[in-house]
Amino acid sequence: MNIIRGDQYNIGHICTRQQCDLGRGDKVAFRWVSSHQERTNYTFSDLDRESNRFANALQLLGFDAGDILFTFLPKTPEQFFSFLGALKFQVICGTLFSNFGDDALLDRLGDAKAKGIVTKKSLLKKITRIKDQLPSLEYIIVTDIEEHQSQDILSYPALVRQASDDFTAPITAPVTPSVLHYTSGSTGKPKGVLHVHHSILHQSRTTSEVLNLTTSDIFWCTADQGWVTGTSYGIIGPWSLGVTQVHYGGGYDAKLWFDLLQNEAVTIWYSAPTALRMLMREDSELYKGYDLGTLRHIFSVGEPLNPEVISWSRATIGKDIYDTWFQTETGGIMITNRPGLEIRPGSMGTPLNGIEPEIIADDGKILGNNQQGNLCLKTGWSSMFVTYLNNESAYNSKIKNGYYYTGDTAVRDDDGFYWFKGRSDDVINTAGHLISPFEVESVLLEIEEIAESGVIGAPDELLYEKVVAFVYLHKQFTWSKELEVKVRLHVSNRASSIATPQEIIIVDSVPKNKSGKIMRRVLKARYLGQDTGDISTLEE
Ligand code: PRX
């Protein structure tokens, strides 16, 4: 289905005004369920008006097309209004996890030279603490204060109260920048993955072709909007097609989640392996008595989906789980299992029509079936990122001979199914969140007792990988329970709670090569009790 009317590619417009023009103004766009279980319905015309107000408020503040605004919010209605309002006005919208700490925020806001940020009172301190290091940051817009606090700390309610609810999005070209997500690599600072309004084509297509959503469905995507799944499939894809969503502001709770699936009559559910494994670990009695008769399909993304979870779902819910594979950079699903096709438990599935993956060796040779190598995608799909902000060289280094190197390794079997094998770099995937070992190592070195640190991801049954830190203390310090608490708190406050090491191992030295690079490969092999391989360049 072509969702583009005339030349209008504007994501904010297509997800709101266009739905009203198609006669869906009174249809519920999202059922909001707060963490306290309060329920509110927002129609497509509510979504249109509220995002218009926000677009007008940005205009009144002096924002211009191409400026960058971040949301730093838990799941709340303002997350959706501000995201779509910014896009309507062609302001680039970046989304940040609300559990990011000071350093994580500073890196991202600083790199993007963000002009504004939308946040909540409870998160405000994190921004005011770093504000003087962010000369470009003019406005902090707070969703739950009634009056402006100062010239730069503004009340969201006060701003939208005085803004008109009428706004017409300018005709927006396919290549106009839209959404910005920061992703972690294994070296250096996080990279800003920039998308353009054109991405809506692929997001919309996969919402219908893979997730199977139609206008009569009720969709629940559990992903936070700080994550690409939360924007591509928690906002853009479903609303481009006029689908009603459930958005839940609370965290994981097996009973509440099942109540929600049943009581909101969810028909399509998109979640992640760690959450599904947590559900699997609960007492099976908990699930007795639920009627999930409306549920048609379950999808998963973000980490390998182990076959046991699919078996559990078949036995407990009576449904398969379709694993989908994509990345921040791809903007939408590329390789996937989907209704109507055979599921091979443990495999990510097959590529969508028009998506052309290859398995390529490090020397550039295209490999055949059953050979492990770099998972690469022929460039050119509509939701492909256009650059890493301020880091064109990192972008260029990932594109070779017309292929985008995803950083994953995989195998294709004789029937064209793809099997995820791992990462070709040191990036850690814990509970579906990519963590940079470099970022955690840097934060650890801020602690005065720590002389050296090396961080790896180690296999974990629940989280897929856990963060393990090897720490070498300055000679005058000794390890203690208090120091351990201090280290954990520091990483949580400066990076994020997700990056906090699950295990801290005190060592006499951290292995480095002759140029001082931490040899995480050696640390990992030692941790796993495996052969450390060639260590001829090792210097401890
Ligand atoms: O390593 C792959 C893993 O998550 C990475 C992408 O992470 P991110 O950019 O944060 O986006 C996550 C949401 C799409 C991939 O390079 N990954 C994602 N989906 C799967 C997966 N690993 C195995 N199986 C998957 N289905």
Side-chain angles (χ1 to χ4, degrees):
M1 189 186 28
N2 188 8
I3 55 162
I4 305 302
R5 306 270 177 278
D7 294 327
Q8 181 54 292
Y9 281 80
N10 189 290
I11 292 173
H13 170 88
I14 294 170
C15 291
T16 65
R17 182 76 246 153
Q18 186 162 304
Q19 302 310 313
C20 299
D21 293 345
L22 290 167
R24 299 182 184 131
D26 294 334
K27 184 175 177 186
V28 174
F30 69 109
R31 299 183 190 164
W32 165 245
V33 184
S34 77
S35 53
H36 306 297
Q37 315 301 305
E38 296 135 354
R39 288 170 161 66
T40 318
N41 283 345
Y42 292 92
T43 62
F44 277 102
S45 55
D46 292 334
L47 201 54
D48 187 37
R49 276 197 303 272
E50 293 300 329
S51 53
N52 284 348
R53 283 207 174 94
F54 191 76
N56 280 320
L58 290 182
Q59 195 161 26
L60 288 171
L61 289 175
F63 276 77
D64 284 318
D67 284 341
I68 297 180
L69 173 94
F70 278 95
T71 59
F72 180 48
L73 289 168
K75 241 188 233 269
T76 55
E78 291 83 2
Q79 167 74 72
F80 306 106
F81 305 150
S82 48
F83 180 85
L84 292 169
L87 294 185
K88 274 186 169 171
F89 189 41
Q90 298 184 348
V91 162
I92 299 167
C93 192
T95 59
L96 297 164
F97 274 117
S98 53
N99 69 8
F100 275 151
D102 299 19
D103 289 11
L105 282 172
L106 186 59
D107 285 345
R108 290 158 174 84
L109 294 169
D111 179 63
K113 298 193 179 54
K115 181 161 175 166
I117 184 165
V118 185
T119 192
K120 267 188 86 166
K121 208 161 64 183
S122 57
L123 300 172
L124 185 56
K125 265 217 183 91
K126 292 193 189 183
I127 306 162
T128 50
R129 278 199 297 259
I130 55 171
K131 170 85 174 63
D132 58 354
Q133 296 170 70
L134 295 166
S136 309
L137 189 65
E138 290 181 39
Y139 298 111
I140 304 171
I141 303 171
V142 186
T143 58
D144 49 355
I145 57 173
E146 281 310 309
E147 301 302 333
H148 298 327
Q149 224 174 68
S150 60
Q151 294 254 307
D152 48 9
I153 301 183
L154 305 178
S155 150
Y156 181 109
L159 278 178
V160 295
R161 249 193 326 262
Q162 69 185 43
S164 158
D165 65 5
D166 188 19
F167 183 86
T168 302
I171 294 294
T172 301
V175 295
T176 306
S178 57
V179 179
L180 180 66
H181 285 288
Y182 274 81
T183 190
S184 298
S186 48
T187 53
K189 300 279 189 192
K191 299 187 287 288
V193 180
L194 186 66
H195 285 280
V196 292
H197 283 261
H198 197 212
S199 71
I200 196 168
L201 288 184
H202 188 78
Q203 288 150 350
S204 180
R205 170 196 168 191
T206 43
T207 297
S208 126
E209 227 173 89
V210 180
L211 303 180
N212 228 258
L213 284 166
T214 65
T215 48
S216 49
D217 279 302
I218 309 287
F219 179 54
W220 182 28
C221 172
T222 59
D224 189 278
Q225 273 57 47
W227 203 34
V228 67
T229 310
T231 55
S232 295
Y233 297 106
I235 302 181
I236 305 172
W239 284 339
S240 72
L241 297 172
V243 172
T244 299
Q245 301 197 61
V246 172
H247 280 306
Y248 171 51
Y252 170 82
D253 181 307
K255 182 167 178 329
L256 280 177
W257 277 31
F258 266 63
D259 285 349
L260 214 116
L261 287 169
Q262 174 184 265
N263 301 341
E264 302 301 328
V266 172
T267 59
I268 308 275
W269 183 31
Y270 201 8
S271 197
T274 295
L276 295 163
R277 282 191 290 266
M278 282 161 81
L279 290 170
M280 189 172 100
R281 288 185 168 196
E282 305 276 354
D283 184 346
S284 58
E285 281 299 309
L286 194 141
Y287 303 117
K288 298 225 165 100
Y290 279 98
D291 175 6
L292 301 187
T294 54
L295 191 61
R296 295 200 293 120
H297 299 300
I298 309 173
F299 294 86
S300 158
V301 68
E303 330 145 41
L305 180 70
N306 33 331
E308 297 78 18
V309 187
I310 300 181
S311 309
W312 167 82
S313 175
R314 283 175 180 161
T316 311
I317 311 180
K319 293 282 165 205
D320 277 322
I321 305 176
Y322 298 97
D323 187 18
T324 67
W325 178 92
F326 74 107
Q327 297 186 308
T328 308
E329 285 88 339
T330 72
I333 299 167
M334 301 276 109
I335 299 176
T336 182
N337 293 282
R338 44 209 185 273
L341 298 183
E342 174 205 354
I343 291 183
R344 292 207 176 160
S347 156
M348 315 188 277
T350 52
L352 283 160
N353 271 343
I355 302 298
E356 297 174 57
E358 287 292 355
I359 305 293
I360 303 183
D362 286 343
D363 64 4
K365 187 169 154 258
I366 294 189
L367 299 173
N369 294 343
N370 307 311
Q371 287 180 289
Q372 183 169 329
N374 298 294
L375 175 62
C376 302
L377 300 163
K378 197 166 197 177
T379 57
W381 64 95
S382 75
S383 62
M384 179 172 167
F385 73 129
V386 291
T387 193
Y388 290 120
L389 201 69
N390 309 321
N391 201 346
E392 197 69 20
S393 64
Y395 176 81
N396 291 335
S397 73
K398 288 210 165 184
I399 316 257
K400 289 175 212 153
N401 298 322
Y403 283 94
Y404 161 64
Y405 280 58
T406 65
D408 284 1
T409 55
V411 166
R412 180 182 53 236
D413 69 19
D414 288 331
D415 300 318
F417 284 79
Y418 283 76
W419 300 75
F420 176 83
K421 290 292 168 190
R423 294 280 309 180
S424 57
D425 54 22
D426 296 329
V427 170
I428 303 164
N429 184 334
T430 188
H433 298 266
L434 298 192
I435 304 286
S436 154
F438 171 81
E439 269 187 280
V440 183
E441 285 157 2
S442 309
V443 164
L444 285 169
L445 291 181
E446 292 171 355
I447 300 170
E448 64 161 332
E449 290 87 345
I450 296 180
E452 288 177 12
S453 67
V455 170
I456 60 160
D460 185 84
E461 279 197 0
L462 182 64
L463 306 170
Y464 174 55
E465 286 187 321
K466 61 183 170 186
V467 178
V468 177
F470 294 81
V471 163
Y472 170 50
L473 298 179
H474 285 292
K475 289 276 179 280
Q476 66 270 37
F477 296 109
T478 46
W479 189 240
S480 64
K481 257 273 143 291
E482 291 73 40
L483 185 50
E484 181 173 346
V485 171
K486 175 175 165 180
V487 169
R488 284 187 201 283
L489 262 177
H490 185 81
V491 179
S492 179
N493 289 337
R494 308 296 292 196
S496 81
S497 55
I498 296 158
T500 308
Q502 306 276 321
E503 234 180 290
I504 302 171
I505 298 172
I506 306 302
V507 289
D508 292 336
S509 67
V510 172
K512 288 183 262 12
N513 67 11
K514 291 201 167 55
S515 49
K517 194 168 166 259
I518 297 162
M519 294 186 79
R520 301 189 190 111
R521 175 177 64 78
V522 173
L523 285 173
K524 192 157 182 170
R526 282 184 188 160
Y527 181 87
L528 297 173
Q530 292 170 347
D531 179 12
T532 45
D534 176 13
I535 48 170
S536 55
T537 60
L538 183 70
E539 292 219 328
E540 298 237 19

